[in-house]
Amino acid sequence: MDLALSKPRITGFLHHAYPLSIVGNYNDYLPWFYSNYVQLICNTDYFEGINDHLIDFYFPNDPLFSFPCMECFAVKPEFFDNKIDIVPFMINSINKKCYVYTHVDEFFIPNRSAYNYKHFTHNILVYGYEKNNFKVLGFDQNSNFTHTEVSFKEFSLGYENANYQLTILYNYNDYIKPKFDINNLVRSLNDYKFSINSINGNGFLPENPVFGLNIYMQLDFYLRNVRESQQKIDIRPFHILWEHKKTMFDRIEYLDDDFIINKEELLKKSRDLVDLSIGCRNTALKYIFTNNSKTITDLLSSIDDLFYKENIFLDELLVNLHK
């Protein structure tokens, strides 16, 4: 039995990709999606080795529970008197049309870079089963976001050896129809433009977060450190940067002409930002293979160009939306 999945609009981090894979089967979520996914946050703890995420989309609440058109049920082993037998629990959940987000030690999970190599607890989404295998979604050993299979036995070992066993059941909520929130969009764009955070929720915030356009200064700092120390480069912030620009382009296409006066001109400038950001990601990939410091110098120049052009673009977009 398989539950339907779609190609998510964001894949940079699994806490976005998993819920979007589920809600993407429907169009009801699009008004909410395009009202959000505007603000970016930089976790400066990354530079101290405390956190492994440098740049991410900002949600004031936990993104795993933020989707209004999904019902979420959190399950922890300590909630129950008896030990959870994870295989029948998963099968029963899928039979009830619930997708299962949980954590496993990828040492036991095939098609993962840690498989039979090192112990590494990571999240995974289970959406179906066939014979004695679960069908799962995640990053494979080649860093591709894709579908793979894992036997019941291996999955059970992965779950039992994980050092964190939070499980979330997702069920699409078809009786909530989110509406597009222009006020939230304008507020978020202002926050992003002026590098502030005007909304606080109950989600995790690092000690010294950086918001909005100021993330470019942090990227500059990060790249100079990479060049000087010749360390490996993390591709994820550049992938998120590209997904951010692509989402903005799609958002402008989605907006009615009533909201935007110079739509075609804004689309053209937004497409330029998409192209620049994919160029940044590709240059970062090039450095992974060449380890040539000149590549970092080129990337720094492209980041500066992207910052300058996005600043101008945001001014024009906000003028249009205010009108």
Side-chain angles (χ1 to χ4, degrees):
M1 175 171 175
D2 292 0
L3 301 179
L5 286 176
S6 67
K7 183 179 179 180
R9 293 171 184 267
I10 306 292
T11 61
F13 288 116
L14 292 175
H15 50 262
H16 302 299
Y18 285 154
L20 288 171
S21 296
I22 299 170
V23 298
N25 294 297
Y26 313 86
N27 285 327
D28 293 345
Y29 86 106
L30 287 175
W32 175 87
F33 179 81
Y34 287 125
S35 302
N36 293 278
Y37 281 96
V38 176
Q39 178 68 293
L40 292 177
I41 182 172
C42 176
N43 189 339
T44 53
D45 287 344
Y46 179 92
F47 301 113
E48 307 299 327
I50 300 172
N51 191 286
D52 72 343
H53 292 178
L54 178 57
I55 292 173
D56 193 8
F57 288 94
Y58 172 65
F59 278 79
N61 302 306
D62 190 327
L64 286 170
F65 297 93
S66 291
F67 288 73
C69 37
M70 284 220 292
E71 293 177 314
C72 308
F73 309 93
V75 178
K76 287 187 176 182
E78 55 264 35
F79 291 173
F80 300 90
D81 293 331
N82 300 317
K83 182 181 177 181
I84 296 175
D85 192 343
I86 194 62
V87 171
F89 175 83
M90 305 282 276
I91 291 172
N92 184 52
S93 299
I94 293 167
N95 287 341
K96 292 180 179 178
K97 298 185 177 180
C98 287
Y99 303 78
V100 186
Y101 169 103
T102 191
H103 296 78
V104 290
D105 181 350
E106 291 191 342
F107 179 88
F108 302 96
I109 308 298
N111 303 300
R112 299 294 186 266
S113 57
Y115 182 55
N116 284 334
Y117 170 63
K118 66 176 181 179
H119 293 281
F120 175 59
T121 296
H122 202 215
N123 46 34
I124 196 168
L125 185 76
V126 184
Y127 66 93
Y129 63 90
E130 185 176 22
K131 296 180 180 178
N132 293 316
N133 290 331
F134 283 122
K135 297 185 177 182
V136 301
L137 190 63
F139 290 117
D140 67 9
Q141 68 271 34
N142 299 313
S143 299
N144 294 317
F145 182 70
T146 189
H147 308 259
T148 56
E149 293 190 4
V150 53
S151 71
F152 289 169
K153 181 179 179 180
E154 287 175 310
F155 191 92
S156 183
L157 284 169
Y159 177 81
E160 289 172 4
N161 287 277
N163 55 28
Y164 184 60
Q165 292 185 324
L166 171 68
T167 297
I168 301 171
L169 302 183
Y170 284 125
N171 183 255
Y172 189 76
N173 185 344
D174 60 3
Y175 54 82
I176 288 183
K177 309 293 183 187
K179 294 182 179 180
F180 181 73
D181 189 342
I182 186 65
N183 293 318
N184 186 68
L185 173 59
V186 171
R187 178 195 56 75
S188 298
L189 284 167
N190 272 298
D191 281 8
Y192 179 74
K193 159 74 178 172
F194 296 105
S195 302
I196 60 173
N197 176 32
S198 66
I199 183 169
N200 292 305
N202 57 9
F204 166 78
L205 268 180
E207 189 170 339
N208 298 299
V210 172
F211 294 94
L213 288 177
N214 278 353
I215 65 161
Y216 286 103
M217 288 189 293
Q218 300 300 317
L219 275 176
D220 186 278
F221 174 70
Y222 169 66
L223 288 171
R224 292 180 188 279
N225 279 344
V226 168
R227 185 174 59 187
E228 290 170 12
S229 62
Q230 294 185 325
Q231 62 181 292
K232 290 183 178 179
I233 196 169
D234 186 347
I235 194 65
R236 294 174 301 174
F238 303 99
H239 185 87
I240 289 291
L241 203 61
W242 166 62
E243 290 189 322
H244 182 261
K245 311 315 165 202
K246 186 178 180 301
T247 299
M248 187 65 74
F249 177 85
D250 293 342
R251 185 185 350 262
I252 295 171
E253 277 198 320
Y254 171 82
L255 287 173
D256 292 335
D257 291 339
D258 293 341
F259 285 123
I260 297 183
I261 301 169
N262 300 319
K263 187 170 182 177
E264 291 305 315
E265 182 63 25
L266 283 167
L267 280 171
K268 182 179 177 181
K269 290 184 177 179
S270 184
R271 169 53 68 186
D272 187 31
L273 296 177
V274 174
D275 293 341
L276 276 170
S277 61
I278 193 70
C280 290
R281 193 190 69 162
N282 291 343
T283 303
L285 282 170
K286 181 180 177 181
Y287 179 77
I288 291 174
F289 295 108
T290 65
N291 203 36
N292 187 335
S293 61
K294 183 182 180 304
T295 308
I296 297 297
T297 303
D298 293 341
L299 184 50
L300 281 164
S301 177
S302 296
I303 290 292
D304 287 344
D305 193 24
L306 185 58
F307 168 76
Y308 174 75
K309 290 184 177 179
E310 187 172 17
N311 218 337
I312 295 172
F313 164 78
L314 288 168
D315 284 339
E316 294 184 22
L317 178 57
L318 282 165
V319 166
N320 271 261
L321 292 174
H322 282 302
K323 285 183 179 179

